[in-house]
Structure formats: C-alpha cells, structure tokens
Amino acid sequence: MSEVWRFDAIGTRWQIETPQPLPAALRARVGEMVDAFDRTWSRFRSDSLVSALAAAGGSTPAPADAAPMLALYEELSDATAGAVNPLVSASLSALGYDPAYRLTPAGAAVPATPAWTAAVALAEEELVVAPGALLDVGALGKGRLVDIVGEIITAETGASATVDAGGDIRVWSSTERIGLEHPYDATRVIGVWEVTDAALCASATNRRAWGEGLHHVLDARTGEPVDSVAATWAVSDSAMRADAASTALFFDGGAELAAHWGVAWVRMFTDGRAEFSPGCPAELFTRRRSVDT
C-alpha cells in the first residue's frame, strides 16, 4: 500500500506518492516551498518578484534558483539558436496567454522575443533585470520545483517517493511505468516508459492550448507557436533537466543538446511519426525512427 497526496499549485495538479502518509508539518513545509517559488517566479502574479522587476527594472538579491535556471536557459538558447528564451512572455501575452487569461489574441502582430542576455544578468549575487523584461521560466521551472519538493520529502522521510506535477514526474528509490499520453487523444498512450530513480518530463501542444493553432510552445525568434512537433518526452537524473530537454526537442538543436546532457527522449510529430534517441528504452506503439546525434 502507498499514500497519495493530491493538491493544486502553480496552475497544475500535483500528485505525491509515498509509502506512508506525510506528517502534517512536512506537508506544510512543502506548501510553503511551492508558494515561495510561485511568489518569486510566476509571471501570472502581480505580486511576484519577476513581475515587480519587470515593472520597474533594477536588481535584487538573487533567489537560490536563479543561477541554475538561468545557466540552463543559456544552454537552451545557444543550442536552439534562440528559439528558447525566458523573455517569451510578451509573445505569449499577445496571443492571449497572459495573467488575465484572456485566451484571445490581441490582433496586432505577435512580437518576436528580444535577446534575453542583454536584459537579464546575475552580477555579484544580484539578479539584474531591465525594465519591461518579464521572465518566464516555463521551459524548466516546473521541473525545478519537482526536484525541490521531492528532495525535501525524501530527505525528511528517508523513503521512496514519486512526485508528479502535471506530467513532470520524478521517481526516488523506486520504479514507475509511465504512459506517454497521445497528444490528440488523452484516453490513449503512444507507449510506456519504465523509469527508475530518474525524472520523466513531457511537453505537448494540446496542453495549455486555447484556439486553433494556439498553444504555449512558441519559437521565440518569431513569436509564433510551433507546428511540426506535437509532443516530447525526456528522461534525466533531474526533473529540471528533463523539463528543459522536453522543451528543446521542439526545435532544431534539441536532440543534440539532449545527447550532450545524456538525456533519453521521444518526440511525436504532427503527422504521427515518432522519433527516439539511440538506445531509448521506451516501448512505443506507433511508427518510430531512431535519430543518431
């Protein structure tokens, strides 16, 4: 038997499975950590740190997550020739995915995203942001939080745990068989992946979609949603890196970056084809093609 704790946070459903119920004090600590991350990094909250920095610009003592997340964003940006960019929020807002959840495009041309390293920097343990630069850490932030939550729980309990935040899953000291949800039919899977002491993160254009061709995976260079890849899955030793890889795999350069990181992956195209990394252990039920990188 195991205990499953479910709750909603940062705009998604969480499920944490442990051998025994978590003590109330530990649940409260997890809740505080999740809220602190949200108050720092959510572009949907007017009271968040990133919203305050975007409104006025300036510097602030760097949050603990800033250095690892921005370093990974730099790798993502370099590998995808700028397609992944933490300032993509302006493009998302123009398409309707804004703090008010308008879910209706503004009608004007969607802006491309400016080079972010000129507007965001870490200097002498300070996070420095130019006015108007609203950070969006959606390409890897949820994975980062999954890592934090699971590490708190396993350090406190000394037991196994599985943390699932809306499809970003990390497993500690156990094995899980995880279905790869079909991006066009949530009642089906395109395969199964057995994961042991690792993280599997997924990204798909059917999640956070609000209109014909409108979804949250944008090419920052154009400000437009991608239209060739439908879904990606990546397995790594950390959920943050798996989350980042699942984003990169929508673009040229993503497979090469995953290989550099030692990340196994699967991606499905909008025409139904599936590709997978060399030696990928996932069991797929669809047309498939290995990609050497």
Side-chain angles (χ1 to χ4, degrees):
M1 294 292 292
S2 61
E3 178 73 12
V4 179
W5 175 29
R6 297 181 178 89
F7 59 93
D8 295 316
I10 65 164
T12 196
R13 184 69 167 168
W14 288 68
Q15 178 171 300
I16 299 176
E17 186 172 354
T18 51
Q20 301 294 330
L22 297 179
L26 181 53
R27 292 193 182 201
R29 185 180 171 200
V30 167
E32 290 166 1
M33 292 295 296
V34 171
D35 185 61
F37 190 94
D38 197 47
R39 283 187 284 108
T40 300
W41 297 109
S42 176
R43 72 178 180 91
F44 295 98
R45 292 179 60 153
S46 61
D47 63 343
S48 72
L49 177 65
V50 294
S51 293
L53 287 171
S59 65
T60 188
D65 304 299
M69 290 201 302
L70 292 180
L72 212 56
Y73 260 109
E74 189 166 1
E75 290 190 69
L76 283 170
S77 181
D78 289 346
T80 62
V84 181
N85 182 320
L87 297 184
V88 76
S89 55
S91 300
L92 286 165
S93 292
L95 290 171
Y97 193 41
D98 62 359
Y101 292 98
R102 289 181 300 108
L103 305 182
T104 301
V110 178
T113 305
W116 68 276
T117 52
V120 180
L122 286 172
E124 298 181 354
E125 301 184 352
E126 294 279 308
L127 175 61
V128 184
V129 178
L134 178 58
L135 280 162
D136 183 324
V137 298
L140 50 79
K142 184 149 62 80
R144 173 71 174 173
L145 189 53
V146 166
D147 287 331
I148 293 169
V149 168
E151 285 160 8
I152 290 172
I153 290 171
T154 54
E156 181 76 18
T157 65
S160 62
T162 298
V163 178
D164 178 353
D168 287 352
I169 303 167
R170 187 170 168 187
V171 180
W172 282 264
S173 301
S174 64
T175 298
E176 297 284 348
R177 282 175 57 82
I178 301 170
L180 310 183
E181 182 184 296
H182 197 298
Y184 301 135
D185 184 349
T187 67
R188 299 167 55 201
V189 297
I190 71 160
V192 177
W193 202 324
E194 190 170 276
V195 176
T196 302
D197 291 329
L200 184 153
C201 291
S203 187
T205 58
N206 65 313
R207 296 298 180 98
R208 286 176 284 174
W210 58 94
E212 184 65 31
L214 298 177
H215 55 77
H216 71 291
V217 186
L218 304 190
D219 185 332
R221 298 165 297 190
T222 64
E224 297 290 343
V226 300
D227 60 7
S228 59
V229 177
T232 64
W233 299 266
V235 168
S236 180
D237 58 357
S238 82
M240 180 172 69
R241 182 156 293 187
D243 196 7
S246 72
T247 300
L249 286 163
F250 280 89
F251 307 101
D252 291 341
E256 291 77 10
L257 181 61
H260 174 68
W261 286 344
V263 172
W265 56 269
V266 172
R267 63 181 166 188
M268 180 176 169
F269 291 87
T270 52
D271 64 4
R273 291 178 300 118
E275 287 183 345
F276 60 99
S277 56
C280 177
E283 179 186 355
L284 301 182
F285 311 145
T286 187
R287 286 178 290 163
R288 50 193 268 160
R289 181 166 68 92
S290 176
V291 176
D292 294 321
T293 53

